Amino acid sequence: MTANSTKPRILTGDTPTGKLHLGHYVGSVENRLALQDQYECYFLIANKHAFTTRADKPADIRQSVLDIATDWLAVGIDPNRSAMVLQSEVPAIDELTFFFAMLIPFNRVMRNPTLKDEIRDKGLGDNYPFGFPMYLVGQVADILAFRPELVPVGEDQLPHLELTREVARKFDQLYCNVDPKTEDKDYVKAGGLFPVIQPKLGRVKRLVGTGAPGPDGNLLKMSKSLNNAIFLSDDADAVQKKIMGMYTDPKRIRATDPGETSPEKNPLWAFHEVFNPDVKWVDDHRDLYKQGKVGDVAVKKKLVEVINDLIDPIRTRRKHYEARPDDVLDALRQGTKRADAVAEETLALAKKAMKQDYFPRKLGF
Ligand code: TRP
């Protein structure tokens, strides 16, 4: 696909923090796979954002970038259709970041709830670099550089997308003479450079992990750092061990005890509801479990099958790409090149709108 495709565009991304797990799969990956046909897709690896909290670990970041790119290919992202983009090699994103930073009130960034949660969860206190809050402005530029229509993300990213919408409106009003009364969907029609983007949430907003609830009694989100994740790169044995050892209903001593089937309380049922395509099996066995007529082991064994069925083809493709690291880099190079052309075009148009188009430039790739 070329940059001149007439399909509407999608941009989304991941911060490279490690390998992808089942939470990523149902929260975003699945969505991306489904959208590859109808949209011109740009999937960004936000490697610069990884430096916000791990500037001292460049080798880890490099490994995470390669892991994510390998995972994307393994799940079925087709690099000939969708562009896999390495953020740090698209300079126009950074240039837009600087201009956009002038359109965003400082306090508006600092009040962002996702940023506040990150500061709290990572225990950063007031000990974070300037670049940490700045990543929000960077994310606005990641998105708007591609002038996409849709941005598929998890729920935690919605505040960032609201900021993106605000910047698009402000830019278009200030520099493209768009009337502030224009409806969001009509900004481009009204002469704006940037569309007021729409978020698209995944099928599952928050997948729980395999472990016990946290101190507040709620099951925790699946996360690498909480050690409760099943990775798309786990082998069949690892999947089996994690599932057979997963937290269920602590009050259930024997299979004849009535069991808790709420997906909010028992991850075993949360997983069956999300992943088991055999709805009838799930309904029947949920009833049996409630009545103490089926044991944890049987229900767990079924889940092992279900998860391995999902991961098997991914695992096979992952092996293929693990043995061919050059192909992974090629996919990144090719996608980044296409992305760079689009972002350069956006930057040129933005500079023109801002009357900073003194002479053309040509960057090599
Ligand atoms: N902040 C996102 C996350 O941590 C990753 C990201 C970076 C992103 N740039 C983006 C997501 C642009 C969507 C669009 O998950």
Side-chain angles (χ1 to χ4, degrees):
M1 190 176 307
T2 68
N4 300 320
S5 151
T6 52
K7 290 183 187 177
R9 284 190 197 137
I10 276 189
L11 174 289
T12 187
D14 292 329
T15 304
T17 50
K19 293 179 177 169
L20 297 182
H21 55 59
L22 290 176
H24 296 119
Y25 190 84
V26 288
S28 60
V29 170
E30 203 181 45
N31 218 342
R32 295 177 193 178
L33 292 172
L35 296 164
Q36 278 193 111
D37 290 329
Q38 304 124 271
Y39 290 87
E40 181 184 320
C41 293
Y42 294 87
F43 300 132
L44 181 93
I45 303 184
N47 60 330
K48 285 192 159 175
H49 291 195
F51 279 79
T52 54
T53 53
R54 289 189 293 151
D56 56 337
K57 298 196 176 67
D60 285 7
I61 295 174
R62 184 187 179 91
Q63 189 55 50
S64 290
V65 167
L66 298 174
D67 281 341
I68 296 244
T70 309
D71 276 337
W72 282 359
L73 292 167
V75 294
I77 299 290
D78 172 0
N80 294 315
R81 276 189 294 165
S82 303
M84 293 178 29
V85 186
L86 188 59
Q87 184 190 43
S88 61
E89 296 307 317
V90 183
I93 291 175
D94 299 280
E95 296 181 56
L96 287 168
T97 301
F98 202 98
F99 290 118
F100 290 159
M102 311 308 161
L103 304 181
I104 302 175
F106 182 68
N107 290 328
R108 182 78 181 73
V109 172
M110 300 315 291
R111 280 200 305 267
N112 181 293
T114 297
L115 186 78
K116 282 187 173 171
D117 285 354
E118 282 176 303
I119 291 172
R120 187 198 57 215
D121 295 348
K122 294 175 181 162
L124 300 176
D126 53 10
N127 217 345
Y128 49 82
F130 181 66
F132 186 61
M134 197 173 81
Y135 100 75
L136 264 61
V137 189
Q139 183 157 342
V140 170
D142 289 342
I143 297 169
L144 294 184
F146 296 89
R147 290 168 283 146
E149 198 159 282
L150 269 192
V151 183
V153 285
E155 219 169 17
D156 62 325
Q157 298 295 304
L158 291 179
H160 299 357
L161 298 202
E162 198 45 54
L163 193 63
T164 308
R165 290 157 54 81
E166 284 173 26
V167 171
R169 287 189 203 104
K170 199 154 177 187
F171 187 102
D172 289 345
Q173 290 167 16
L174 269 180
Y175 303 125
C176 310
N177 288 320
V178 173
D179 184 331
K181 290 198 277 302
T182 305
E183 278 190 56
D184 284 348
K185 62 174 178 39
D186 294 331
Y187 263 70
V188 172
K189 233 186 287 161
L193 173 59
F194 294 113
V196 181
I197 54 101
Q198 290 292 333
K200 182 167 171 59
L201 294 173
R203 173 170 69 103
V204 179
K205 308 231 167 353
R206 179 181 182 275
L207 183 70
V208 298
T210 55
D216 64 354
N218 294 322
L219 292 174
L220 300 164
K221 183 177 163 178
M222 183 176 283
S223 152
K224 179 189 167 194
S225 55
L226 295 172
N227 240 329
N228 63 4
I230 297 175
F231 293 95
L232 299 179
S233 46
D234 279 344
D235 63 26
D237 279 355
V239 169
Q240 158 130 5
K241 278 205 194 85
K242 286 181 183 182
I243 292 177
M244 296 316 283
M246 93 197 279
Y247 174 87
T248 60
D249 176 352
K251 295 205 269 316
R252 198 171 195 232
I253 315 292
R254 291 179 201 83
T256 49
D257 296 341
E260 173 64 65
T261 57
S262 158
E264 259 98 73
K265 302 222 167 92
N266 187 341
L268 185 53
W269 290 103
F271 279 74
H272 267 296
E273 284 186 13
V274 170
F275 293 103
N276 192 336
D278 188 346
V279 178
K280 182 165 174 353
W281 190 100
V282 178
D283 287 346
D284 292 349
H285 287 78
R286 191 192 291 109
D287 283 345
L288 294 172
Y289 193 94
K290 238 183 244 167
Q291 299 162 24
K293 291 186 179 157
V294 63
D296 271 43
V297 171
V299 181
K300 283 179 168 174
K301 278 193 172 148
K302 180 70 182 175
L303 185 63
V304 172
E305 258 175 56
V306 166
I307 299 295
N308 275 327
D309 280 353
L310 173 75
I311 299 186
D312 259 338
I314 299 177
R315 217 177 260 141
T316 308
R317 277 193 300 264
R318 199 172 207 288
K319 287 245 155 58
H320 171 94
Y321 285 107
E322 270 169 4
R324 293 168 184 79
D326 286 349
D327 287 4
V328 177
L329 270 187
D330 274 345
L332 269 181
R333 184 184 296 120
Q334 170 196 329
T336 304
K337 185 173 175 171
R338 245 157 63 204
D340 187 62
V342 175
E344 278 294 314
E345 182 188 38
T346 303
L347 178 65
L349 291 168
K351 283 181 173 169
K352 185 158 187 262
M354 293 184 290
K355 307 197 187 307
Q356 304 307 306
D357 56 333
Y358 304 100
F359 33 78
R361 74 164 186 197
K362 190 116 191 91
L363 288 181
F365 187 83

PDB file of all heavy atoms in Angstrom, residues 135-163:
ATOM      1  N   TYR A 135       5.878  13.295  27.242  1.00  0.00           N
ATOM      2  CA  TYR A 135       5.491  12.212  26.325  1.00  0.00           C
ATOM      3  C   TYR A 135       4.043  12.345  25.863  1.00  0.00           C
ATOM      4  O   TYR A 135       3.673  11.885  24.783  1.00  0.00           O
ATOM      5  CB  TYR A 135       5.794  10.831  26.942  1.00  0.00           C
ATOM      6  CG  TYR A 135       4.633  10.101  27.572  1.00  0.00           C
ATOM      7  CD1 TYR A 135       3.654   9.484  26.782  1.00  0.00           C
ATOM      8  CD2 TYR A 135       4.514   9.995  28.949  1.00  0.00           C
ATOM      9  CE1 TYR A 135       2.589   8.802  27.367  1.00  0.00           C
ATOM     10  CE2 TYR A 135       3.457   9.322  29.536  1.00  0.00           C
ATOM     11  CZ  TYR A 135       2.497   8.734  28.748  1.00  0.00           C
ATOM     12  OH  TYR A 135       1.440   8.085  29.321  1.00  0.00           O
ATOM     13  N   LEU A 136       3.234  13.030  26.675  1.00  0.00           N
ATOM     14  CA  LEU A 136       1.838  13.231  26.261  1.00  0.00           C
ATOM     15  C   LEU A 136       1.758  14.083  24.992  1.00  0.00           C
ATOM     16  O   LEU A 136       0.963  13.807  24.096  1.00  0.00           O
ATOM     17  CB  LEU A 136       1.056  13.928  27.372  1.00  0.00           C
ATOM     18  CG  LEU A 136       0.261  13.028  28.300  1.00  0.00           C
ATOM     19  CD1 LEU A 136       1.156  12.066  29.023  1.00  0.00           C
ATOM     20  CD2 LEU A 136      -0.544  13.854  29.269  1.00  0.00           C
ATOM     21  N   VAL A 137       2.571  15.119  24.957  1.00  0.00           N
ATOM     22  CA  VAL A 137       2.591  15.974  23.763  1.00  0.00           C
ATOM     23  C   VAL A 137       3.156  15.152  22.594  1.00  0.00           C
ATOM     24  O   VAL A 137       2.665  15.222  21.469  1.00  0.00           O
ATOM     25  CB  VAL A 137       3.464  17.234  23.985  1.00  0.00           C
ATOM     26  CG1 VAL A 137       3.292  18.191  22.817  1.00  0.00           C
ATOM     27  CG2 VAL A 137       3.125  17.904  25.304  1.00  0.00           C
ATOM     28  N   GLY A 138       4.166  14.351  22.905  1.00  0.00           N
ATOM     29  CA  GLY A 138       4.742  13.472  21.879  1.00  0.00           C
ATOM     30  C   GLY A 138       3.702  12.517  21.310  1.00  0.00           C
ATOM     31  O   GLY A 138       3.669  12.265  20.108  1.00  0.00           O
ATOM     32  N   GLN A 139       2.835  12.021  22.187  1.00  0.00           N
ATOM     33  CA  GLN A 139       1.817  11.085  21.701  1.00  0.00           C
ATOM     34  C   GLN A 139       0.808  11.782  20.793  1.00  0.00           C
ATOM     35  O   GLN A 139       0.343  11.205  19.813  1.00  0.00           O
ATOM     36  CB  GLN A 139       1.122  10.402  22.878  1.00  0.00           C
ATOM     37  CG  GLN A 139       0.109   9.366  22.412  1.00  0.00           C
ATOM     38  CD  GLN A 139      -0.186   8.302  23.452  1.00  0.00           C
ATOM     39  OE1 GLN A 139       0.576   8.117  24.407  1.00  0.00           O
ATOM     40  NE2 GLN A 139      -1.290   7.610  23.283  1.00  0.00           N
ATOM     41  N   VAL A 140       0.494  13.022  21.117  1.00  0.00           N
ATOM     42  CA  VAL A 140      -0.389  13.800  20.233  1.00  0.00           C
ATOM     43  C   VAL A 140       0.257  13.891  18.841  1.00  0.00           C
ATOM     44  O   VAL A 140      -0.407  13.708  17.816  1.00  0.00           O
ATOM     45  CB  VAL A 140      -0.622  15.225  20.814  1.00  0.00           C
ATOM     46  CG1 VAL A 140      -1.326  16.116  19.793  1.00  0.00           C
ATOM     47  CG2 VAL A 140      -1.417  15.149  22.113  1.00  0.00           C
ATOM     48  N   ALA A 141       1.568  14.117  18.826  1.00  0.00           N
ATOM     49  CA  ALA A 141       2.273  14.225  17.543  1.00  0.00           C
ATOM     50  C   ALA A 141       2.371  12.866  16.842  1.00  0.00           C
ATOM     51  O   ALA A 141       2.238  12.779  15.619  1.00  0.00           O
ATOM     52  CB  ALA A 141       3.666  14.807  17.762  1.00  0.00           C
ATOM     53  N   ASP A 142       2.587  11.783  17.619  1.00  0.00           N
ATOM     54  CA  ASP A 142       2.584  10.433  17.031  1.00  0.00           C
ATOM     55  C   ASP A 142       1.316  10.251  16.194  1.00  0.00           C
ATOM     56  O   ASP A 142       1.334   9.706  15.092  1.00  0.00           O
ATOM     57  CB  ASP A 142       2.506   9.339  18.117  1.00  0.00           C
ATOM     58  CG  ASP A 142       3.766   9.193  18.931  1.00  0.00           C
ATOM     59  OD1 ASP A 142       4.826   9.658  18.488  1.00  0.00           O
ATOM     60  OD2 ASP A 142       3.685   8.599  20.036  1.00  0.00           O
ATOM     61  N   ILE A 143       0.234  10.689  16.796  1.00  0.00           N
ATOM     62  CA  ILE A 143      -1.074  10.456  16.172  1.00  0.00           C
ATOM     63  C   ILE A 143      -1.295  11.417  15.008  1.00  0.00           C
ATOM     64  O   ILE A 143      -1.533  11.000  13.872  1.00  0.00           O
ATOM     65  CB  ILE A 143      -2.202  10.602  17.225  1.00  0.00           C
ATOM     66  CG1 ILE A 143      -2.038   9.522  18.300  1.00  0.00           C
ATOM     67  CG2 ILE A 143      -3.576  10.526  16.553  1.00  0.00           C
ATOM     68  CD1 ILE A 143      -2.918   9.720  19.520  1.00  0.00           C
ATOM     69  N   LEU A 144      -1.185  12.710  15.293  1.00  0.00           N
ATOM     70  CA  LEU A 144      -1.566  13.689  14.266  1.00  0.00           C
ATOM     71  C   LEU A 144      -0.617  13.685  13.068  1.00  0.00           C
ATOM     72  O   LEU A 144      -1.012  14.068  11.968  1.00  0.00           O
ATOM     73  CB  LEU A 144      -1.695  15.084  14.877  1.00  0.00           C
ATOM     74  CG  LEU A 144      -2.852  15.239  15.883  1.00  0.00           C
ATOM     75  CD1 LEU A 144      -2.955  16.679  16.363  1.00  0.00           C
ATOM     76  CD2 LEU A 144      -4.189  14.787  15.283  1.00  0.00           C
ATOM     77  N   ALA A 145       0.612  13.218  13.252  1.00  0.00           N
ATOM     78  CA  ALA A 145       1.546  13.134  12.122  1.00  0.00           C
ATOM     79  C   ALA A 145       0.951  12.303  10.987  1.00  0.00           C
ATOM     80  O   ALA A 145       1.329  12.464   9.826  1.00  0.00           O
ATOM     81  CB  ALA A 145       2.874  12.524  12.573  1.00  0.00           C
ATOM     82  N   PHE A 146       0.029  11.412  11.348  1.00  0.00           N
ATOM     83  CA  PHE A 146      -0.558  10.530  10.327  1.00  0.00           C
ATOM     84  C   PHE A 146      -1.965  10.963   9.919  1.00  0.00           C
ATOM     85  O   PHE A 146      -2.577  10.333   9.074  1.00  0.00           O
ATOM     86  CB  PHE A 146      -0.537   9.082  10.836  1.00  0.00           C
ATOM     87  CG  PHE A 146       0.881   8.617  11.014  1.00  0.00           C
ATOM     88  CD1 PHE A 146       1.549   8.806  12.214  1.00  0.00           C
ATOM     89  CD2 PHE A 146       1.568   8.083   9.942  1.00  0.00           C
ATOM     90  CE1 PHE A 146       2.883   8.447  12.357  1.00  0.00           C
ATOM     91  CE2 PHE A 146       2.899   7.708  10.083  1.00  0.00           C
ATOM     92  CZ  PHE A 146       3.560   7.899  11.282  1.00  0.00           C
ATOM     93  N   ARG A 147      -2.484  11.999  10.537  1.00  0.00           N
ATOM     94  CA  ARG A 147      -3.838  12.488  10.268  1.00  0.00           C
ATOM     95  C   ARG A 147      -4.823  11.322  10.121  1.00  0.00           C
ATOM     96  O   ARG A 147      -5.523  11.189   9.108  1.00  0.00           O
ATOM     97  CB  ARG A 147      -3.840  13.360   8.995  1.00  0.00           C
ATOM     98  CG  ARG A 147      -3.132  14.699   9.205  1.00  0.00           C
ATOM     99  CD  ARG A 147      -2.883  15.437   7.914  1.00  0.00           C
ATOM    100  NE  ARG A 147      -1.757  14.876   7.194  1.00  0.00           N
ATOM    101  CZ  ARG A 147      -1.648  14.812   5.862  1.00  0.00           C
ATOM    102  NH1 ARG A 147      -2.619  15.287   5.106  1.00  0.00           N
ATOM    103  NH2 ARG A 147      -0.579  14.292   5.319  1.00  0.00           N
ATOM    104  N   PRO A 148      -4.861  10.457  11.144  1.00  0.00           N
ATOM    105  CA  PRO A 148      -5.719   9.273  11.033  1.00  0.00           C
ATOM    106  C   PRO A 148      -7.161   9.599  11.394  1.00  0.00           C
ATOM    107  O   PRO A 148      -7.442  10.665  11.960  1.00  0.00           O
ATOM    108  CB  PRO A 148      -5.137   8.337  12.090  1.00  0.00           C
ATOM    109  CG  PRO A 148      -4.666   9.262  13.167  1.00  0.00           C
ATOM    110  CD  PRO A 148      -4.220  10.538  12.471  1.00  0.00           C
ATOM    111  N   GLU A 149      -8.027   8.690  11.070  1.00  0.00           N
ATOM    112  CA  GLU A 149      -9.427   8.858  11.422  1.00  0.00           C
ATOM    113  C   GLU A 149      -9.674   8.210  12.787  1.00  0.00           C
ATOM    114  O   GLU A 149     -10.326   8.753  13.640  1.00  0.00           O
ATOM    115  CB  GLU A 149     -10.251   8.138  10.360  1.00  0.00           C
ATOM    116  CG  GLU A 149     -11.679   8.538  10.294  1.00  0.00           C
ATOM    117  CD  GLU A 149     -12.225   8.173   8.925  1.00  0.00           C
ATOM    118  OE1 GLU A 149     -11.947   8.910   7.953  1.00  0.00           O
ATOM    119  OE2 GLU A 149     -12.902   7.138   8.836  1.00  0.00           O
ATOM    120  N   LEU A 150      -9.112   7.009  12.926  1.00  0.00           N
ATOM    121  CA  LEU A 150      -9.370   6.196  14.118  1.00  0.00           C
ATOM    122  C   LEU A 150      -8.079   5.887  14.851  1.00  0.00           C
ATOM    123  O   LEU A 150      -7.037   5.673  14.224  1.00  0.00           O
ATOM    124  CB  LEU A 150      -9.934   4.846  13.688  1.00  0.00           C
ATOM    125  CG  LEU A 150     -11.425   4.629  13.557  1.00  0.00           C
ATOM    126  CD1 LEU A 150     -11.683   3.130  13.398  1.00  0.00           C
ATOM    127  CD2 LEU A 150     -12.166   5.161  14.767  1.00  0.00           C
ATOM    128  N   VAL A 151      -8.181   5.826  16.179  1.00  0.00           N
ATOM    129  CA  VAL A 151      -7.031   5.452  16.995  1.00  0.00           C
ATOM    130  C   VAL A 151      -7.468   4.352  17.962  1.00  0.00           C
ATOM    131  O   VAL A 151      -8.110   4.620  18.972  1.00  0.00           O
ATOM    132  CB  VAL A 151      -6.474   6.671  17.769  1.00  0.00           C
ATOM    133  CG1 VAL A 151      -5.224   6.293  18.557  1.00  0.00           C
ATOM    134  CG2 VAL A 151      -6.159   7.824  16.814  1.00  0.00           C
ATOM    135  N   PRO A 152      -7.166   3.080  17.627  1.00  0.00           N
ATOM    136  CA  PRO A 152      -7.542   1.983  18.523  1.00  0.00           C
ATOM    137  C   PRO A 152      -6.606   1.930  19.731  1.00  0.00           C
ATOM    138  O   PRO A 152      -5.394   1.875  19.563  1.00  0.00           O
ATOM    139  CB  PRO A 152      -7.357   0.714  17.665  1.00  0.00           C
ATOM    140  CG  PRO A 152      -6.989   1.178  16.296  1.00  0.00           C
ATOM    141  CD  PRO A 152      -6.507   2.590  16.406  1.00  0.00           C
ATOM    142  N   VAL A 153      -7.191   1.978  20.925  1.00  0.00           N
ATOM    143  CA  VAL A 153      -6.380   1.994  22.151  1.00  0.00           C
ATOM    144  C   VAL A 153      -7.122   1.296  23.289  1.00  0.00           C
ATOM    145  O   VAL A 153      -8.297   0.971  23.169  1.00  0.00           O
ATOM    146  CB  VAL A 153      -6.108   3.437  22.635  1.00  0.00           C
ATOM    147  CG1 VAL A 153      -5.074   4.144  21.791  1.00  0.00           C
ATOM    148  CG2 VAL A 153      -7.400   4.228  22.721  1.00  0.00           C
ATOM    149  N   GLY A 154      -6.440   1.119  24.385  1.00  0.00           N
ATOM    150  CA  GLY A 154      -7.075   0.682  25.625  1.00  0.00           C
ATOM    151  C   GLY A 154      -7.644   1.894  26.348  1.00  0.00           C
ATOM    152  O   GLY A 154      -7.281   3.042  26.057  1.00  0.00           O
ATOM    153  N   GLU A 155      -8.521   1.596  27.306  1.00  0.00           N
ATOM    154  CA  GLU A 155      -9.255   2.646  28.018  1.00  0.00           C
ATOM    155  C   GLU A 155      -8.341   3.683  28.675  1.00  0.00           C
ATOM    156  O   GLU A 155      -8.663   4.874  28.703  1.00  0.00           O
ATOM    157  CB  GLU A 155     -10.077   1.966  29.118  1.00  0.00           C
ATOM    158  CG  GLU A 155     -11.416   2.532  29.315  1.00  0.00           C
ATOM    159  CD  GLU A 155     -12.235   1.622  30.233  1.00  0.00           C
ATOM    160  OE1 GLU A 155     -11.651   0.770  30.938  1.00  0.00           O
ATOM    161  OE2 GLU A 155     -13.449   1.771  30.244  1.00  0.00           O
ATOM    162  N   ASP A 156      -7.196   3.226  29.178  1.00  0.00           N
ATOM    163  CA  ASP A 156      -6.296   4.142  29.893  1.00  0.00           C
ATOM    164  C   ASP A 156      -5.742   5.241  28.979  1.00  0.00           C
ATOM    165  O   ASP A 156      -5.238   6.255  29.458  1.00  0.00           O
ATOM    166  CB  ASP A 156      -5.140   3.358  30.533  1.00  0.00           C
ATOM    167  CG  ASP A 156      -4.291   2.647  29.489  1.00  0.00           C
ATOM    168  OD1 ASP A 156      -4.849   2.184  28.474  1.00  0.00           O
ATOM    169  OD2 ASP A 156      -3.063   2.568  29.676  1.00  0.00           O
ATOM    170  N   GLN A 157      -5.856   5.041  27.673  1.00  0.00           N
ATOM    171  CA  GLN A 157      -5.297   6.024  26.742  1.00  0.00           C
ATOM    172  C   GLN A 157      -6.292   7.120  26.356  1.00  0.00           C
ATOM    173  O   GLN A 157      -5.946   8.075  25.656  1.00  0.00           O
ATOM    174  CB  GLN A 157      -4.814   5.330  25.466  1.00  0.00           C
ATOM    175  CG  GLN A 157      -3.703   4.320  25.693  1.00  0.00           C
ATOM    176  CD  GLN A 157      -2.438   4.969  26.178  1.00  0.00           C
ATOM    177  OE1 GLN A 157      -1.910   5.870  25.546  1.00  0.00           O
ATOM    178  NE2 GLN A 157      -1.949   4.537  27.332  1.00  0.00           N
ATOM    179  N   LEU A 158      -7.543   6.997  26.820  1.00  0.00           N
ATOM    180  CA  LEU A 158      -8.562   7.955  26.388  1.00  0.00           C
ATOM    181  C   LEU A 158      -8.222   9.414  26.743  1.00  0.00           C
ATOM    182  O   LEU A 158      -8.454  10.306  25.919  1.00  0.00           O
ATOM    183  CB  LEU A 158      -9.944   7.559  26.934  1.00  0.00           C
ATOM    184  CG  LEU A 158     -10.519   6.280  26.298  1.00  0.00           C
ATOM    185  CD1 LEU A 158     -11.881   5.942  26.918  1.00  0.00           C
ATOM    186  CD2 LEU A 158     -10.657   6.417  24.787  1.00  0.00           C
ATOM    187  N   PRO A 159      -7.661   9.676  27.930  1.00  0.00           N
ATOM    188  CA  PRO A 159      -7.297  11.079  28.210  1.00  0.00           C
ATOM    189  C   PRO A 159      -6.282  11.630  27.199  1.00  0.00           C
ATOM    190  O   PRO A 159      -6.343  12.800  26.833  1.00  0.00           O
ATOM    191  CB  PRO A 159      -6.699  11.033  29.612  1.00  0.00           C
ATOM    192  CG  PRO A 159      -7.215   9.778  30.232  1.00  0.00           C
ATOM    193  CD  PRO A 159      -7.434   8.808  29.106  1.00  0.00           C
ATOM    194  N   HIS A 160      -5.364  10.773  26.739  1.00  0.00           N
ATOM    195  CA  HIS A 160      -4.376  11.224  25.750  1.00  0.00           C
ATOM    196  C   HIS A 160      -5.058  11.536  24.418  1.00  0.00           C
ATOM    197  O   HIS A 160      -4.676  12.457  23.698  1.00  0.00           O
ATOM    198  CB  HIS A 160      -3.305  10.155  25.505  1.00  0.00           C
ATOM    199  CG  HIS A 160      -2.515   9.794  26.742  1.00  0.00           C
ATOM    200  ND1 HIS A 160      -2.702  10.402  27.944  1.00  0.00           N
ATOM    201  CD2 HIS A 160      -1.530   8.893  26.938  1.00  0.00           C
ATOM    202  CE1 HIS A 160      -1.875   9.890  28.837  1.00  0.00           C
ATOM    203  NE2 HIS A 160      -1.146   8.959  28.258  1.00  0.00           N
ATOM    204  N   LEU A 161      -6.075  10.743  24.110  1.00  0.00           N
ATOM    205  CA  LEU A 161      -6.776  10.984  22.840  1.00  0.00           C
ATOM    206  C   LEU A 161      -7.633  12.244  22.923  1.00  0.00           C
ATOM    207  O   LEU A 161      -7.798  12.961  21.937  1.00  0.00           O
ATOM    208  CB  LEU A 161      -7.632   9.774  22.458  1.00  0.00           C
ATOM    209  CG  LEU A 161      -6.879   8.464  22.223  1.00  0.00           C
ATOM    210  CD1 LEU A 161      -7.707   7.522  21.365  1.00  0.00           C
ATOM    211  CD2 LEU A 161      -5.524   8.666  21.583  1.00  0.00           C
ATOM    212  N   GLU A 162      -8.146  12.537  24.117  1.00  0.00           N
ATOM    213  CA  GLU A 162      -8.913  13.781  24.280  1.00  0.00           C
ATOM    214  C   GLU A 162      -7.984  14.985  24.057  1.00  0.00           C
ATOM    215  O   GLU A 162      -8.348  15.957  23.402  1.00  0.00           O
ATOM    216  CB  GLU A 162      -9.561  13.812  25.671  1.00  0.00           C
ATOM    217  CG  GLU A 162     -10.704  14.802  25.803  1.00  0.00           C
ATOM    218  CD  GLU A 162     -11.689  14.782  24.629  1.00  0.00           C
ATOM    219  OE1 GLU A 162     -12.215  13.695  24.291  1.00  0.00           O
ATOM    220  OE2 GLU A 162     -11.940  15.863  24.035  1.00  0.00           O
ATOM    221  N   LEU A 163      -6.775  14.867  24.579  1.00  0.00           N
ATOM    222  CA  LEU A 163      -5.783  15.928  24.370  1.00  0.00           C
ATOM    223  C   LEU A 163      -5.481  16.083  22.875  1.00  0.00           C
ATOM    224  O   LEU A 163      -5.354  17.198  22.351  1.00  0.00           O
ATOM    225  CB  LEU A 163      -4.508  15.563  25.137  1.00  0.00           C
ATOM    226  CG  LEU A 163      -3.447  16.636  25.315  1.00  0.00           C
ATOM    227  CD1 LEU A 163      -3.995  17.797  26.143  1.00  0.00           C
ATOM    228  CD2 LEU A 163      -2.202  16.058  26.008  1.00  0.00           C
TER     229      LEU A 163
END
